[in-house]
Amino acid sequence: FQVSNRLLDFNPDPDLREVAEKNGFAYFSLLDEFRKDGCLDCYYLWDFHLTPVGTKRVADYLTEEILKGLP
């Protein structure tokens, strides 16, 4: 099984952030965190959807980001 280099190099964050913020939404990206740590248990290899481990990581990260923004 081989992953396309485009999946490892492509960065959709600038475009997604622009659209989200233009429409009044906060934008959080996990792209760098997931790429840096190489969490092989975070994705199903056949389709790259998040596993329960990956879903928990997303929830933990978003919780941390939301708590940072609270007074």
Side-chain angles (χ1 to χ4, degrees):
F1 183 79
Q2 236 179 345
V3 176
S4 165
N5 282 340
R6 186 168 185 269
L7 291 175
L8 301 174
D9 298 336
F10 179 65
N11 184 0
D13 284 345
D15 294 330
L16 293 173
R17 180 180 306 279
E18 180 184 342
V19 170
E21 290 176 351
K22 187 187 296 186
N23 289 288
F25 296 98
Y27 181 79
F28 300 102
S29 175
L30 299 173
L31 186 59
D32 287 338
E33 286 76 11
F34 274 82
R35 283 183 175 168
K36 284 178 192 171
D37 72 7
C39 179
L40 297 178
D41 292 338
C42 291
Y43 302 96
Y44 291 109
L45 293 179
W46 60 86
D47 69 1
F48 289 99
H49 280 85
L50 292 171
T51 63
V53 171
T55 301
K56 180 168 180 350
R57 287 192 62 225
V58 170
D60 290 345
Y61 176 79
L62 288 176
T63 299
E64 181 181 318
E65 289 298 313
I66 290 168
L67 291 176
K68 279 186 204 175
L70 293 178

Coordinates of all heavy atoms in Angstrom, one line a residue:
F1 N 0.8 -1.2 0.0 CA 0.0 0.0 0.0 C 0.9 1.2 0.0 O 1.8 1.3 0.8 CB -0.9 0.0 1.2 CG -1.9 1.1 1.3 CD1 -3.0 1.1 0.6 CD2 -1.6 2.2 2.1 CE1 -3.9 2.1 0.6 CE2 -2.5 3.2 2.2 CZ -3.6 3.2 1.4
Q2 N 0.6 2.2 -0.9 CA 1.4 3.4 -1.0 C 0.5 4.6 -1.0 O -0.5 4.6 -1.6 CB 2.2 3.4 -2.3 CG 3.7 3.5 -2.0 CD 4.5 3.5 -3.3 OE1 3.9 3.1 -4.4 NE2 5.7 3.9 -3.3
V3 N 1.0 5.6 -0.2 CA 0.2 6.9 -0.1 C 0.8 7.8 -1.2 O 2.0 8.0 -1.3 CB 0.4 7.5 1.3 CG1 -0.3 8.8 1.4 CG2 -0.2 6.5 2.3
S4 N -0.1 8.5 -1.9 CA 0.3 9.5 -2.8 C 1.0 10.6 -2.1 O 0.6 11.1 -1.1 CB -0.9 10.0 -3.5 OG -0.6 11.2 -4.2
N5 N 2.2 11.1 -2.7 CA 2.9 12.2 -2.1 C 2.0 13.4 -2.0 O 2.2 14.3 -1.1 CB 4.1 12.5 -2.9 CG 5.2 11.5 -2.6 OD1 5.2 10.8 -1.6 ND2 6.2 11.4 -3.5
R6 N 1.1 13.6 -2.9 CA 0.2 14.7 -2.8 C -0.6 14.8 -1.5 O -0.8 15.9 -0.9 CB -0.8 14.7 -4.0 CG -1.7 15.9 -4.0 CD -2.5 16.0 -5.4 NE -3.2 17.2 -5.5 CZ -4.4 17.4 -5.1 NH1 -5.1 16.4 -4.5 NH2 -5.0 18.6 -5.2
L7 N -0.9 13.6 -0.9 CA -1.6 13.6 0.4 C -0.7 14.0 1.5 O -1.1 14.5 2.5 CB -2.2 12.2 0.7 CG -3.3 11.7 -0.2 CD1 -3.7 10.3 0.1 CD2 -4.5 12.6 0.0
L8 N 0.6 13.9 1.3 CA 1.6 14.2 2.3 C 2.0 15.7 2.2 O 2.5 16.3 3.1 CB 2.8 13.3 2.3 CG 2.5 11.8 2.4 CD1 3.7 11.0 2.2 CD2 1.9 11.6 3.8
D9 N 1.9 16.2 1.0 CA 2.4 17.6 0.7 C 1.3 18.7 0.6 O 1.6 19.8 0.9 CB 3.2 17.6 -0.6 CG 4.5 16.7 -0.5 OD1 4.9 16.4 0.6 OD2 4.9 16.2 -1.5
F10 N 0.2 18.3 0.1 CA -0.9 19.2 -0.1 C -1.3 19.9 1.2 O -1.5 19.2 2.2 CB -2.1 18.5 -0.7 CG -3.3 19.3 -1.0 CD1 -3.2 20.3 -2.0 CD2 -4.5 19.1 -0.4 CE1 -4.3 21.1 -2.3 CE2 -5.6 19.9 -0.6 CZ -5.5 20.9 -1.6
N11 N -1.5 21.2 1.1 CA -1.9 21.9 2.3 C -3.2 22.8 2.0 O -3.1 23.8 1.5 CB -0.8 22.9 2.8 CG -1.2 23.6 4.1 OD1 -2.3 23.4 4.6 ND2 -0.3 24.4 4.6
P12 N -4.4 22.2 2.4 CA -5.6 22.9 2.1 C -5.9 24.0 3.1 O -6.9 24.8 2.9 CB -6.7 21.8 2.2 CG -6.1 20.9 3.2 CD -4.6 20.9 3.0
D13 N -5.1 24.1 4.2 CA -5.4 25.0 5.3 C -5.6 26.5 4.9 O -6.6 27.1 5.3 CB -4.4 25.0 6.4 CG -4.6 23.7 7.2 OD1 -5.6 23.1 7.1 OD2 -3.6 23.4 8.0
P14 N -4.8 27.1 4.1 CA -5.0 28.5 3.8 C -6.3 28.8 3.1 O -7.0 29.8 3.5 CB -3.8 28.9 2.8 CG -2.8 27.9 3.2 CD -3.5 26.6 3.5
D15 N -6.7 28.0 2.2 CA -8.0 28.2 1.5 C -9.2 27.9 2.4 O -10.1 28.7 2.4 CB -8.1 27.3 0.2 CG -7.0 27.7 -0.8 OD1 -6.7 28.9 -0.9 OD2 -6.6 26.8 -1.6
L16 N -9.1 26.8 3.1 CA -10.2 26.5 4.1 C -10.3 27.6 5.2 O -11.4 28.0 5.5 CB -10.0 25.1 4.7 CG -10.0 24.0 3.7 CD1 -9.6 22.7 4.4 CD2 -11.4 23.8 3.1
R17 N -9.2 28.0 5.7 CA -9.2 29.1 6.7 C -9.9 30.4 6.2 O -10.7 31.0 6.9 CB -7.8 29.4 7.2 CG -7.8 30.5 8.3 CD -6.4 30.7 8.8 NE -5.7 29.5 9.3 CZ -5.9 28.9 10.4 NH1 -6.7 29.5 11.3 NH2 -5.2 27.8 10.7
E18 N -9.5 30.7 5.0 CA -10.0 32.0 4.4 C -11.6 31.9 4.2 O -12.3 32.8 4.6 CB -9.4 32.2 3.0 CG -9.9 33.4 2.3 CD -9.3 33.6 0.9 OE1 -8.3 33.0 0.6 OE2 -10.0 34.4 0.2
V19 N -12.1 30.8 3.7 CA -13.5 30.6 3.5 C -14.2 30.6 4.9 O -15.3 31.2 5.1 CB -13.8 29.4 2.7 CG1 -15.3 29.1 2.7 CG2 -13.3 29.5 1.3
A20 N -13.7 29.8 5.8 CA -14.3 29.7 7.1 C -14.4 31.1 7.8 O -15.5 31.5 8.3 CB -13.5 28.7 8.0
E21 N -13.3 31.8 7.9 CA -13.2 33.1 8.6 C -14.1 34.1 7.8 O -14.7 35.0 8.5 CB -11.8 33.5 8.8 CG -11.1 32.6 9.8 CD -9.6 32.9 10.0 OE1 -9.1 33.8 9.2 OE2 -9.0 32.3 10.9
K22 N -14.1 34.1 6.5 CA -14.9 35.0 5.8 C -16.4 34.8 6.1 O -17.2 35.8 6.0 CB -14.7 34.8 4.3 CG -15.4 35.8 3.4 CD -15.3 35.5 1.9 CE -13.9 35.5 1.4 NZ -13.8 35.3 -0.1
N23 N -16.8 33.6 6.5 CA -18.2 33.3 6.8 C -18.4 33.3 8.3 O -19.5 32.8 8.8 CB -18.6 32.0 6.2 CG -18.7 32.1 4.7 OD1 -19.7 32.8 4.2 ND2 -17.7 31.6 3.9
G24 N -17.5 33.8 9.1 CA -17.7 34.0 10.5 C -17.4 32.7 11.4 O -17.9 32.7 12.5
F25 N -16.7 31.7 10.8 CA -16.4 30.5 11.6 C -15.0 30.5 12.1 O -14.1 31.0 11.4 CB -16.7 29.3 10.7 CG -18.1 29.1 10.3 CD1 -18.6 29.5 9.1 CD2 -19.0 28.5 11.2 CE1 -19.9 29.4 8.7 CE2 -20.4 28.4 10.8 CZ -20.8 28.8 9.6
A26 N -14.8 29.9 13.2 CA -13.4 29.6 13.6 C -12.8 28.5 12.8 O -13.6 27.6 12.4 CB -13.4 29.3 15.1
Y27 N -11.5 28.5 12.6 CA -10.9 27.4 11.8 C -9.8 26.8 12.6 O -8.9 27.5 13.1 CB -10.4 27.9 10.5 CG -9.8 26.8 9.6 CD1 -10.6 25.9 8.9 CD2 -8.4 26.6 9.6 CE1 -10.0 24.9 8.2 CE2 -7.8 25.6 8.8 CZ -8.6 24.8 8.1 OH -8.1 23.8 7.4
F28 N -9.9 25.5 12.9 CA -8.8 24.8 13.6 C -8.3 23.7 12.6 O -9.0 23.0 12.0 CB -9.4 24.0 14.8 CG -10.0 25.0 15.8 CD1 -11.3 25.1 15.9 CD2 -9.2 25.7 16.7 CE1 -11.9 25.9 16.9 CE2 -9.7 26.5 17.6 CZ -11.1 26.7 17.7
S29 N -7.0 23.6 12.5 CA -6.3 22.6 11.7 C -5.5 21.6 12.5 O -4.8 22.0 13.4 CB -5.4 23.3 10.7 OG -4.7 22.3 9.9
L30 N -5.7 20.4 12.2 CA -4.9 19.3 12.8 C -3.9 18.8 11.8 O -3.1 17.8 12.2 CB -5.8 18.1 13.2 CG -6.9 18.5 14.2 CD1 -7.8 17.3 14.3 CD2 -6.3 18.8 15.5
L31 N -3.8 19.3 10.7 CA -2.9 18.8 9.6 C -1.5 18.6 10.1 O -0.9 17.5 9.9 CB -3.0 19.7 8.4 CG -2.3 19.2 7.1 CD1 -2.8 17.8 6.7 CD2 -2.5 20.2 6.0
D32 N -0.9 19.7 10.6 CA 0.5 19.6 11.0 C 0.7 18.6 12.1 O 1.7 17.8 12.1 CB 1.0 20.9 11.5 CG 1.3 21.9 10.4 OD1 1.4 21.4 9.2 OD2 1.3 23.1 10.6
E33 N -0.2 18.5 13.1 CA -0.1 17.6 14.2 C -0.1 16.1 13.8 O 0.7 15.3 14.2 CB -1.1 17.8 15.3 CG -0.9 19.1 16.1 CD -1.3 20.4 15.4 OE1 -1.9 20.3 14.3 OE2 -0.9 21.4 15.9
F34 N -1.1 15.8 12.9 CA -1.2 14.5 12.4 C 0.0 14.1 11.5 O 0.5 13.0 11.5 CB -2.5 14.3 11.6 CG -3.6 13.9 12.5 CD1 -4.3 14.9 13.2 CD2 -4.0 12.6 12.7 CE1 -5.4 14.6 14.0 CE2 -5.1 12.3 13.5 CZ -5.8 13.3 14.2
R35 N 0.5 15.0 10.7 CA 1.6 14.7 9.9 C 2.9 14.5 10.6 O 3.8 13.7 10.3 CB 1.8 15.8 8.8 CG 0.8 15.7 7.7 CD 1.0 16.7 6.6 NE 0.1 16.5 5.5 CZ -0.1 17.4 4.5 NH1 0.6 18.5 4.5 NH2 -0.9 17.1 3.6
K36 N 3.1 15.3 11.7 CA 4.3 15.3 12.5 C 4.5 14.0 13.3 O 5.6 13.4 13.4 CB 4.4 16.4 13.5 CG 4.7 17.7 12.8 CD 4.7 18.8 13.9 CE 4.8 20.2 13.2 NZ 4.6 21.3 14.1
D37 N 3.4 13.5 13.9 CA 3.6 12.4 14.9 C 3.5 11.0 14.2 O 3.8 10.0 14.8 CB 2.6 12.5 16.0 CG 1.2 12.2 15.7 OD1 0.9 11.8 14.6 OD2 0.3 12.4 16.6
G38 N 3.0 10.9 13.0 CA 3.0 9.6 12.3 C 2.1 8.6 13.0 O 2.4 7.4 13.0
C39 N 1.0 9.0 13.5 CA 0.1 8.1 14.2 C -0.6 7.2 13.3 O -1.6 7.5 12.7 CB -1.0 9.0 15.0 SG -2.2 8.0 15.8
L40 N 0.0 6.0 13.1 CA -0.6 5.0 12.2 C -1.9 4.4 12.6 O -2.6 3.9 11.8 CB 0.5 3.9 11.9 CG 1.8 4.4 11.3 CD1 2.7 3.2 11.1 CD2 1.5 5.0 9.9
D41 N -2.2 4.5 13.9 CA -3.4 4.0 14.4 C -4.6 5.0 14.3 O -5.7 4.7 14.7 CB -3.3 3.6 15.9 CG -2.4 2.5 16.2 OD1 -2.2 1.7 15.2 OD2 -1.9 2.3 17.3
C42 N -4.3 6.2 13.7 CA -5.3 7.2 13.7 C -6.2 7.1 12.4 O -7.2 7.7 12.4 CB -4.7 8.6 13.7 SG -4.0 9.0 15.3
Y43 N -5.7 6.4 11.4 CA -6.4 6.3 10.1 C -6.6 4.8 9.8 O -5.8 4.0 10.1 CB -5.6 6.9 9.0 CG -5.3 8.3 9.2 CD1 -4.0 8.7 9.7 CD2 -6.2 9.3 8.8 CE1 -3.7 10.0 9.9 CE2 -5.8 10.6 9.0 CZ -4.6 11.0 9.5 OH -4.3 12.3 9.7
Y44 N -7.7 4.5 9.1 CA -7.9 3.2 8.4 C -7.1 3.3 7.1 O -7.2 4.2 6.3 CB -9.3 2.9 8.1 CG -10.2 2.7 9.3 CD1 -11.1 3.6 9.7 CD2 -10.0 1.5 10.1 CE1 -11.9 3.4 10.9 CE2 -10.8 1.3 11.2 CZ -11.7 2.2 11.6 OH -12.5 2.0 12.7
L45 N -6.1 2.4 6.9 CA -5.2 2.4 5.8 C -5.9 2.3 4.5 O -5.4 2.9 3.5 CB -4.2 1.3 5.9 CG -3.2 1.5 7.1 CD1 -2.2 0.4 7.1 CD2 -2.5 2.9 7.0
W46 N -7.1 1.7 4.4 CA -7.7 1.5 3.1 C -8.5 2.7 2.6 O -8.7 2.9 1.4 CB -8.6 0.3 3.1 CG -9.7 0.3 4.1 CD1 -10.9 0.9 3.9 CD2 -9.7 -0.2 5.4 NE1 -11.7 0.7 5.1 CE2 -10.9 0.1 6.0 CE3 -8.7 -0.9 6.2 CZ2 -11.3 -0.3 7.3 CZ3 -9.1 -1.3 7.5 CH2 -10.3 -1.0 8.0
D47 N -8.8 3.6 3.5 CA -9.6 4.8 3.0 C -9.2 6.1 3.8 O -9.7 7.1 3.4 CB -11.1 4.6 3.0 CG -11.6 4.5 4.4 OD1 -10.9 4.6 5.4 OD2 -12.9 4.2 4.5
F48 N -8.4 6.0 4.8 CA -7.9 7.2 5.5 C -9.0 7.9 6.3 O -8.8 9.0 6.7 CB -7.1 8.2 4.6 CG -5.8 7.6 4.2 CD1 -5.7 7.0 3.0 CD2 -4.7 7.6 5.0 CE1 -4.5 6.5 2.6 CE2 -3.5 7.1 4.6 CZ -3.4 6.5 3.4
H49 N -10.1 7.2 6.6 CA -11.0 7.8 7.6 C -10.4 7.6 9.0 O -9.6 6.7 9.2 CB -12.4 7.1 7.5 CG -13.2 7.5 6.4 ND1 -13.1 7.1 5.1 CD2 -14.2 8.5 6.3 CE1 -13.9 7.7 4.3 NE2 -14.6 8.6 5.0
L50 N -10.8 8.4 9.9 CA -10.3 8.3 11.3 C -10.8 7.1 12.0 O -11.9 6.7 11.8 CB -10.7 9.5 12.1 CG -10.1 10.9 11.7 CD1 -10.8 12.0 12.4 CD2 -8.6 10.9 11.9
T51 N -9.9 6.5 12.7 CA -10.2 5.4 13.6 C -10.7 5.9 14.9 O -10.7 7.2 15.1 CB -9.0 4.5 13.9 OG1 -8.0 5.3 14.6 CG2 -8.4 3.9 12.6
P52 N -11.2 5.1 15.8 CA -11.5 5.6 17.2 C -10.4 6.4 17.8 O -10.6 7.4 18.5 CB -11.9 4.4 17.9 CG -12.5 3.5 16.9 CD -11.6 3.7 15.7
V53 N -9.2 5.9 17.6 CA -8.0 6.6 18.2 C -7.8 8.0 17.6 O -7.6 9.0 18.3 CB -6.7 5.8 18.0 CG1 -5.5 6.6 18.3 CG2 -6.7 4.5 18.7
G54 N -8.0 8.1 16.2 CA -7.9 9.3 15.6 C -9.0 10.3 16.0 O -8.8 11.5 16.2
T55 N -10.2 9.8 16.1 CA -11.3 10.6 16.5 C -11.1 11.2 17.9 O -11.4 12.3 18.2 CB -12.6 9.8 16.5 OG1 -12.8 9.3 15.2 CG2 -13.8 10.6 16.9
K56 N -10.6 10.4 18.8 CA -10.3 10.9 20.2 C -9.2 12.0 20.1 O -9.3 12.9 20.9 CB -9.8 9.7 21.1 CG -9.5 10.2 22.5 CD -9.3 9.1 23.5 CE -9.0 9.6 24.9 NZ -8.7 11.0 25.1
R57 N -8.2 11.8 19.3 CA -7.2 12.8 19.1 C -7.8 14.1 18.7 O -7.4 15.2 19.1 CB -6.1 12.4 18.2 CG -5.2 11.3 18.8 CD -3.9 11.1 18.0 NE -3.1 12.3 18.0 CZ -2.6 12.7 16.9 NH1 -2.7 12.1 15.7 NH2 -1.8 13.8 16.9
V58 N -8.7 14.1 17.7 CA -9.3 15.3 17.2 C -10.1 15.9 18.3 O -10.0 17.1 18.6 CB -10.3 14.9 16.0 CG1 -11.1 16.1 15.7 CG2 -9.4 14.5 14.8
A59 N -10.9 15.1 19.1 CA -11.7 15.7 20.2 C -10.8 16.3 21.2 O -11.1 17.4 21.8 CB -12.5 14.6 20.8
D60 N -9.7 15.7 21.6 CA -8.8 16.2 22.6 C -8.2 17.5 22.1 O -8.1 18.5 22.9 CB -7.7 15.2 22.9 CG -8.1 14.0 23.7 OD1 -9.3 14.0 24.2 OD2 -7.4 13.0 23.7
Y61 N -7.8 17.6 20.9 CA -7.2 18.8 20.3 C -8.2 19.9 20.3 O -7.9 21.0 20.7 CB -6.6 18.5 18.9 CG -6.1 19.8 18.3 CD1 -4.8 20.3 18.6 CD2 -6.9 20.5 17.3 CE1 -4.3 21.4 18.0 CE2 -6.4 21.6 16.8 CZ -5.1 22.1 17.1 OH -4.6 23.3 16.5
L62 N -9.4 19.6 19.8 CA -10.4 20.7 19.8 C -10.8 21.2 21.2 O -11.0 22.4 21.4 CB -11.6 20.2 19.0 CG -11.5 20.1 17.5 CD1 -12.7 19.5 16.9 CD2 -11.1 21.4 16.9
T63 N -10.9 20.3 22.1 CA -11.1 20.7 23.5 C -10.1 21.6 24.0 O -10.4 22.7 24.6 CB -11.2 19.4 24.4 OG1 -12.3 18.6 23.9 CG2 -11.5 19.8 25.8
E64 N -8.8 21.3 23.7 CA -7.7 22.1 24.2 C -7.8 23.5 23.5 O -7.6 24.5 24.2 CB -6.4 21.5 23.8 CG -5.2 22.2 24.2 CD -3.9 21.5 23.7 OE1 -3.8 20.3 23.8 OE2 -3.0 22.2 23.2
E65 N -8.1 23.6 22.2 CA -8.2 24.8 21.5 C -9.4 25.7 22.0 O -9.3 26.9 22.2 CB -8.3 24.6 20.0 CG -7.1 24.1 19.4 CD -5.9 25.1 19.5 OE1 -6.1 26.3 19.2 OE2 -4.8 24.7 19.8
I66 N -10.5 25.0 22.3 CA -11.7 25.7 22.8 C -11.4 26.3 24.2 O -11.7 27.4 24.5 CB -12.9 24.8 22.8 CG1 -13.3 24.6 21.3 CG2 -14.1 25.4 23.6 CD1 -14.3 23.4 21.2
L67 N -10.8 25.5 25.0 CA -10.5 26.0 26.4 C -9.5 27.1 26.4 O -9.6 28.0 27.3 CB -9.9 24.8 27.2 CG -11.0 23.7 27.6 CD1 -10.3 22.6 28.3 CD2 -12.1 24.3 28.3
K68 N -8.6 27.2 25.4 CA -7.6 28.3 25.3 C -8.4 29.6 25.1 O -8.0 30.7 25.5 CB -6.7 28.1 24.2 CG -5.5 27.2 24.4 CD -4.6 27.2 23.2 CE -3.8 26.0 23.1 NZ -3.0 26.0 21.8
G69 N -9.5 29.5 24.3 CA -10.2 30.7 24.0 C -11.2 31.2 25.0 O -11.8 32.2 24.9
L70 N -11.4 30.4 26.1 CA -12.4 30.8 27.1 C -11.8 31.8 28.1 O -10.6 31.7 28.3 CB -12.9 29.6 27.9 CG -13.7 28.6 27.1 CD1 -14.1 27.4 28.0 CD2 -15.0 29.2 26.6
P71 N -12.6 32.8 28.6 CA -12.0 33.8 29.5 C -11.7 33.1 30.8 O -12.1 32.1 31.2 CB -13.2 34.7 29.7 CG -14.4 34.1 29.1 CD -14.0 33.0 28.2

